[in-house]
Amino acid sequence: MTLSKAAREFILHWGEMGNRWGINRTVAQVHALLYLSPEPLTAEDIADALSVARSNVSTSLRELQNWELVQATHQMGDRRDFFSTSHDVWQLFLTVLQQRVEREIAPTISALNRLAMQAQAERDSPK
């Protein structure tokens, strides 16, 4: 797969932005490549296009699947997985937001509620 100069710059920039948001650079670059691709890509296609190790691509794809940002599909007569992502920026934003709420905000609220009840119980108990 040959990438245009603009595509390469977008992928590099998305990788840098991901790194600033606490996401592995390669994970963000894989996502950017899939976002730009008009058709699903295999892990080998991704590794070749980004010049990264196949194992790094596999790890990145698993992470993106865990975030529900990438889907694996199959093609008739081919045993390989083909990966794609939504091309709807709003949908991608909502997916990331939902995942961050589930992973970060909800557990924090739960911990704060538990600790507030524990602190109240400690204040109410006789010394």
Side-chain angles (χ1 to χ4, degrees), residues 103-121:
R103 294 165 185 247
E104 299 165 20
I105 296 171
T108 300
I109 290 171
S110 177
L112 290 173
N113 285 334
R114 180 179 50 78
L115 293 170
M117 290 188 325
Q118 182 180 340
Q120 184 64 43

Side-chain angles (χ1 to χ4, degrees), residues 1-3 30 33-34 37 39-52 54 57 61 75 78 80-83:
M1 165 182 260
T2 304
L3 299 172
V30 168
L33 177 64
L34 291 172
S37 179
E39 57 193 37
L41 301 174
T42 65
E44 292 82 14
D45 296 333
I46 296 166
D48 290 344
L50 298 179
S51 299
V52 296
R54 173 71 169 74
V57 170
L61 288 168
Q75 293 184 3
D78 198 327
R80 299 175 298 175
D81 289 333
F82 289 78
F83 299 93

Side-chain angles (χ1 to χ4, degrees), residues 60-117:
S60 298
L61 288 168
R62 272 194 305 278
E63 180 70 14
L64 289 165
Q65 286 176 308
N66 288 339
W67 278 82
E68 298 180 11
L69 291 171
V70 166
Q71 299 77 38
T73 59
H74 299 95
Q75 293 184 3
M76 197 70 121
D78 198 327
R79 295 174 44 161
R80 299 175 298 175
D81 289 333
F82 289 78
F83 299 93
S84 62
T85 190
S86 173
H87 296 281
D88 180 347
V89 175
W90 184 245
Q91 182 59 49
L92 291 171
F93 171 76
L94 291 176
T95 300
V96 169
L97 182 62
Q98 175 189 5
Q99 289 294 315
R100 292 200 82 145
V101 165
E102 289 175 15
R103 294 165 185 247
E104 299 165 20
I105 296 171
T108 300
I109 290 171
S110 177
L112 290 173
N113 285 334
R114 180 179 50 78
L115 293 170
M117 290 188 325

